[in-house]
Amino acid sequence: MKIDSGSTAWVLASAALVLLMTPGVAFFYGGMTRAKSVLNMMMMSFVSMATVGMVWVLYGYSLAFSDGGGLNSFIGGLGDWGLVGLETSATTDDGSGIPSLVFVAFQATFAIITVALISGAIADRAKFGAWVVFTVVWATLVYAPIAHWVWFFGPEDGEGGWIGAGLGALDFAGGTVVHINAGAAALALALVLGKRKGWPRDPMRPHNLPFVLLGAALLWFGWFGFNAGSALGANGTAAVAFINTLVATSAAAFAWIVVEKLRDGSSTTLGIASGAVAGLVGITPACAFVTPLGAIALGLVTGAVCAFAVSLKYKLGYDDSLDVVGVHMVGGIVGALLIGILATTAVNEAGADGLLAGGGVGLLGKQAVGVVATLAYSFVVTFIIGKIIDMTMGFRIGEEDEVAGIDSTSHAETAYDFGGIHAGAGAAAPLPSAKVADSAPTKVEA
Amino acid sequence: MKLITAVIKPFKLDEVKAALETFGVKGLTVSEASGYGRQKGHTEVYRGAEYKVDLVPKLRVEVLVDDADAEDIIDVIVKAAQTGKIGDGKVWAVPVETVVRVRTGETGAEAL
């Protein structure tokens, strides 16, 4: 196997960075829930690492990134199931690529986080078993096909998925595949499950804003692997993606807190964390196609638009609990469309010229097609999957369990024990079935 | 005997405690409380959504005292807990019929 060792090292590190984003999402979302449901929220992200990781190796990678024969425009085949035969192959034969398994691992972390992102829409109320089933079915029927549409390129020009290779729409690191996809799916699930009891009348304030900031920080850190790693090499394209991931995020975080200051009177920690994530989402599809100045413009627009988009749910009446739609779907759409305006081949010959670089409106049109196709497919198929799960096993916990708190009713745990009245002697004692009792000496009758 | 109850701003506890100790009060009970008076809570904003937070965190300080000391102790508490801003809390006293020290069984003023 002939490979480029520098590129291999960078993509290996990037895969680990992207995997760290999923616990990052867990903290980002977990801090935003109420104290009685933080564990369930974090568990929904973590379990995606458990299920989707296996799905990806078993057949998910194959469905997304192998040749699908007659259906190749829409879905891959099962030729690479179990990664059988990939152990000694590389992405290219001339020694400029990386081992196939490194690419598989890198892409696995994308599938995992995309599923985890959806969970923010259904905080506090989803039956855990139903969510576990959903992660497997959704990764198979929604994520793998869309990844194939956008990111599978065959050996010949124009061969591969219909959006990327066929149409020529650009998505460097996952604006459509990851963010619009997760956002549209989140909207569908929020509609299937319905509003939380008491929403929007009761205040459902974030219980731990430092967690939210910690999660946003882990996401920003990991996102350098997500975007710059998507160059699949240690090269100039990775450098462009890296600096743009930095500065677009700066701009979006700044834009969000300025909007807050002007609209609400105070700049908030939740706002700066949300703005940073919105900026990361926005720059994702565009990171290797725009200049750093273009990235600042993109970040400012995305941050400001998303700061307003999160209020939509109150007007439209859907309980997207943690704003997956307002941040990921809207941010993804803004980023994907701005490629059509800001992209320039001056930074990356593999890209295209947008409106401002003299490329006309052609690219913008292609971007719009990619966006609409992803939105429509993800929303419709997710809605159907959600409905079927709801009708067969039930997707929502009982009202009483929801009010009492999903952590204790679904997971038999609570997140916090800060002392106080309930921590004293007698408040919690091991059940007779627990080990402590078993090991106690038994009385022997004389 | 009287039971004096003071609802105060949490950050004023140290000053109130110190002032009571200086006066010679031997013991007190503190518990967390929430509520509102004329101050009526406050507003918080999360991602543009405004929430009215009605119940404000406070501390409840309870002291059992001799009738003769009651007025002075109330003065001591009020002076120590005052910031002059809205939300400083309240202090009140009610008569107490019986007090027993659990360890010794002493009753009345002996038990204070």
Side-chain angles (χ1 to χ4, degrees):
Chain A
M1 177 170 33
K2 286 195 295 180
I3 53 155
D4 183 298
S5 59
S7 294
T8 303
W10 168 233
V11 182
L12 276 170
S14 292
L17 282 171
V18 181
L19 187 68
L20 187 64
M21 289 169 68
T22 296
V25 169
F27 276 101
F28 184 65
Y29 284 169
M32 271 187 266
T33 61
R34 288 167 292 173
K36 64 181 179 179
S37 40
V38 51
L39 293 177
N40 171 258
M41 194 69 245
M42 299 184 82
M43 187 78 161
M44 285 200 279
S45 287
F46 257 79
V47 82
S48 173
M49 296 199 278
T51 56
V52 180
M54 287 192 289
V55 165
W56 197 250
V57 167
L58 289 174
Y59 60 83
Y61 170 77
S62 188
L63 282 181
F65 288 100
S66 74
D67 194 291
L71 293 172
N72 199 26
S73 293
F74 296 97
I75 185 85
L78 289 170
D80 287 337
W81 79 272
L83 312 183
V84 178
L86 291 183
E87 295 90 340
T88 54
S89 72
T91 53
T92 60
D93 295 328
D94 60 5
S96 67
I98 59 176
S100 300
L101 291 188
V102 174
F103 180 67
V104 174
F106 182 64
Q107 289 298 338
T109 59
F110 280 60
I112 288 168
I113 192 173
T114 308
V115 174
L117 287 173
I118 303 169
S119 63
I122 53 170
D124 307 349
R125 61 197 189 282
K127 205 180 260 185
F128 185 65
W131 169 254
V132 172
V133 170
F134 176 84
T135 61
V136 173
V137 177
W138 193 86
T140 309
L141 297 182
V142 182
Y143 185 82
I146 293 184
H148 188 83
W149 295 358
V150 179
W151 283 338
F152 182 69
F153 294 86
E156 305 292 326
D157 255 6
E159 199 181 272
W162 74 274
I163 291 181
L167 184 68
L170 299 176
D171 181 359
F172 191 72
T176 48
V177 179
V178 175
H179 298 290
I180 297 177
N181 191 2
L187 179 59
L189 278 199
L191 294 176
V192 170
L193 270 81
K195 303 167 193 175
R196 283 170 293 176
K197 192 172 162 46
W199 188 90
R201 190 194 63 242
D202 296 347
M204 296 182 178
R205 292 182 292 157
H207 89 286
N208 191 332
L209 289 167
F211 266 10
V212 177
L213 286 169
L214 172 66
L218 287 173
L219 282 167
W220 198 344
F221 179 70
W223 224 294
F224 288 113
F226 197 91
N227 286 353
S230 289
L232 298 177
N235 53 34
T237 309
V240 172
F242 200 104
I243 191 70
N244 286 345
T245 302
L246 176 72
V247 79
T249 310
S250 310
F254 183 71
W256 190 303
I257 58 171
V258 168
V259 167
E260 281 190 331
K261 181 71 192 167
L262 298 176
R263 183 186 61 190
D264 313 324
S266 309
S267 297
T268 67
T269 54
L270 181 60
I272 201 164
S274 308
V277 173
L280 289 162
V281 169
I283 196 63
T284 291
C287 61
F289 305 126
V290 300
T291 63
L293 290 178
I296 290 180
L298 184 149
L300 290 172
V301 173
T302 312
V305 169
C306 290
F308 285 104
V310 289
S311 306
L312 275 180
K313 63 180 180 183
Y314 299 107
K315 296 200 180 83
L316 301 178
Y318 59 91
D319 183 8
D320 166 20
S321 315
L322 312 179
D323 299 312
V324 190
V325 177
V327 174
H328 292 273
M329 193 179 97
V330 173
I333 292 173
V334 171
L337 294 181
L338 283 180
I339 291 177
I341 292 167
L342 298 169
T344 165
T345 46
V347 294
N348 182 355
E349 285 175 1
D353 282 321
L355 200 57
L356 295 182
V361 293
L363 183 59
L364 186 58
K366 291 173 185 176
Q367 294 302 114
V369 173
V371 166
V372 172
T374 307
L375 277 175
Y377 181 84
S378 176
F379 180 82
V380 171
V381 178
T382 307
F383 193 83
I384 294 169
I385 296 171
K387 274 288 180 199
I388 292 175
I389 291 178
D390 195 36
M391 288 185 304
T392 50
M393 57 191 300
F395 215 144
R396 188 163 174 160
I397 59 173
E399 192 179 304
E400 225 172 280
D401 291 349
E402 186 183 327
V403 172
I406 191 168
D407 284 359
S408 60
T409 56
S410 288
H411 302 287
E413 291 177 300
T414 44
Y416 305 104
D417 186 350
F418 284 142
I421 270 171
H422 299 289
L431 288 171
S433 59
K435 277 242 163 65
V436 206
D438 282 351
S439 60
T442 37
K443 261 190 203 165
V444 182
E445 302 236 355
Chain B
M1 289 162 298
K2 288 213 159 53
L3 169 66
I4 298 177
T5 304
V7 172
I8 61 170
K9 285 183 170 164
F11 77 96
K12 278 290 183 183
L13 178 63
D14 281 345
E15 284 170 63
V16 170
K17 235 170 58 185
L20 287 173
E21 247 165 65
T22 313
F23 186 86
V25 171
K26 295 281 187 312
L28 49 76
T29 305
V30 181
S31 44
E32 289 181 35
S34 9
Y36 62 84
R38 284 191 205 167
Q39 156 197 25
K40 264 289 186 191
H42 61 276
T43 308
E44 294 182 5
V45 188
Y46 296 95
R47 281 184 172 166
E50 284 197 14
Y51 293 114
K52 237 185 114 9
V53 181
D54 281 332
L55 301 178
V56 184
K58 299 280 171 191
L59 289 182
R60 178 172 49 224
V61 181
E62 289 163 309
V63 204
L64 281 166
V65 302
D66 213 25
D67 285 331
D69 295 334
E71 245 170 77
D72 292 340
I73 290 179
I74 290 174
D75 275 353
V76 165
I77 295 176
V78 169
K79 224 183 255 166
Q82 205 167 54
T83 67
K85 294 201 192 96
I86 200 157
D88 270 354
K90 287 210 170 30
V91 185
W92 63 89
V94 289
V96 170
E97 223 168 78
T98 320
V99 176
V100 184
R101 189 190 305 279
V102 173
R103 176 168 56 87
T104 57
E106 290 162 284
T107 57
E110 298 293 304
L112 293 179

